[in-house]
Amino acid sequence: MTSISYLWAPPEPASVAVQGSEQRLPVQRLFFVGRNYLAHAKEMGRPVDAQRDRPFYFTKSPSALLASGSSVPYPQATSNYHYEMELVVALRSGGADIAVESAHEHIYGYGCGLDMTRRDLQFAARDQGKPWDTAKDCEHSAVISPIVPMPGQVIERGRIELRVDGEQRQDSDLSDMIWGVRELIADLSRMYHLRAGDLIYTGTPEGVGPVRAGQRVDGSIEGVGTVSLQLLAGKA
Ligand code: MN
């Protein structure tokens, strides 16, 4: 048997804690849904017509994952760093062209996530027709709670909320999602062969806004859990 020899130690595989287990969930890819709540789409100045429009997606590198409860510096290259509280679906299996009716069979469980965003870079990119990568896929920008195993279960409702230094900033319900969990899995599988370990951040409700150095973000989703992030005082 030949063993592979690397120039330097390769990075550890990306993984997420699993509630009630000492085993971790190995992460494959991070998908994010854009504008999945009507009121948030409106506040971004890009309303969604649920009949005519389709979901759209962007990705982050698995290296952008950050465990809930972490303390990290305020990021580089932004003066408008935003929180986005989101339900995250973790897949245990996948495939291509999955039917809506069977999409739930691929669900391993759920987590609470923060899609942290350099909003100033996002708006500049959007207005110039450029990609979102530098706005979205930056270090520590995909905050994730432990995954709660709920194999095959569909979550359709439940309070989703977020506070900054204890002040309520987002307060909505998962039933306000335009495209539900099964629709998103099915739709995404038309573009990618989904796999075990793929995480889908399902979009944020209204009330997004900035978080500053030294501030703390706390969010929760009814029936799933909580997520938190502490930004250290001072610049990176
Ligand atoms: Mn988002």
Side-chain angles (χ1 to χ4, degrees):
M1 190 174 99
T2 50
S3 67
I4 298 169
S5 176
Y6 295 101
L7 283 171
W8 48 79
E12 288 285 313
S15 66
V16 181
V18 175
Q19 191 176 84
S21 172
E22 289 183 5
Q23 294 185 306
R24 294 178 67 83
L25 184 147
V27 172
Q28 177 72 19
R29 289 169 295 188
L30 307 180
F31 295 105
F32 291 74
V33 182
R35 297 177 211 137
N36 198 20
Y37 291 77
L38 287 174
H40 171 64
K42 266 185 209 149
E43 77 181 349
M44 289 289 105
R46 296 289 192 275
V48 171
D49 179 335
Q51 303 304 316
R52 185 199 62 203
D53 295 330
R54 297 301 309 157
F56 75 94
Y57 309 93
F58 57 92
T59 59
K60 297 192 186 192
S61 312
S63 59
L65 277 174
L66 180 72
S68 171
S70 298
S71 301
V72 296
Y74 192 88
Q76 303 163 274
T78 185
S79 54
N80 196 19
Y81 197 43
H82 274 211
Y83 55 80
E84 296 190 359
M85 179 67 200
E86 313 203 354
L87 174 71
V88 180
V89 184
L91 300 187
R92 62 176 174 178
S93 55
D97 299 320
I98 295 167
V100 172
E101 295 72 25
S102 60
H104 59 282
E105 295 168 9
H106 301 286
I107 296 169
Y108 174 77
Y110 295 91
C112 298
L114 298 171
D115 168 18
M116 300 303 295
T117 302
R118 296 192 279 208
R119 192 73 73 201
D120 37 5
L121 299 191
Q122 185 195 15
F123 282 165
R126 185 183 79 175
D127 294 345
Q128 298 168 44
K130 291 176 179 170
W132 286 8
D133 298 50
T134 59
K136 288 289 195 179
D137 188 7
C138 61
E139 289 91 352
H140 306 144
S141 67
V143 185
I144 187 75
S145 74
I147 301 296
V148 181
M150 298 173 68
Q153 287 188 48
V154 177
I155 296 183
E156 290 179 316
R157 54 187 47 80
R159 186 184 183 199
I160 176 170
E161 61 85 29
L162 177 142
R163 288 147 281 139
V164 176
D165 283 351
E167 275 185 33
Q168 197 83 62
R169 299 293 175 82
Q170 293 187 282
D171 193 359
S172 185
D173 197 279
L174 298 174
S175 60
D176 289 340
M177 288 200 291
I178 299 168
W179 294 286
V181 167
R182 276 185 296 193
E183 285 76 16
L184 292 174
I185 294 170
D187 190 70
L188 194 53
S189 78
R190 294 159 58 196
M191 278 174 287
Y192 296 94
H193 288 69
L194 296 178
R195 292 179 61 179
D198 285 339
L199 301 185
I200 306 170
Y201 285 64
T202 58
T204 194
E206 69 278 14
V208 300
V211 55
R212 296 189 305 274
Q215 287 191 312
R216 179 187 167 90
V217 177
D218 285 285
S220 73
I221 297 173
E222 187 181 352
V224 179
T226 62
V227 63
S228 70
L229 171 68
Q230 173 72 53
L231 291 184
L232 298 169
K235 276 261 178 184

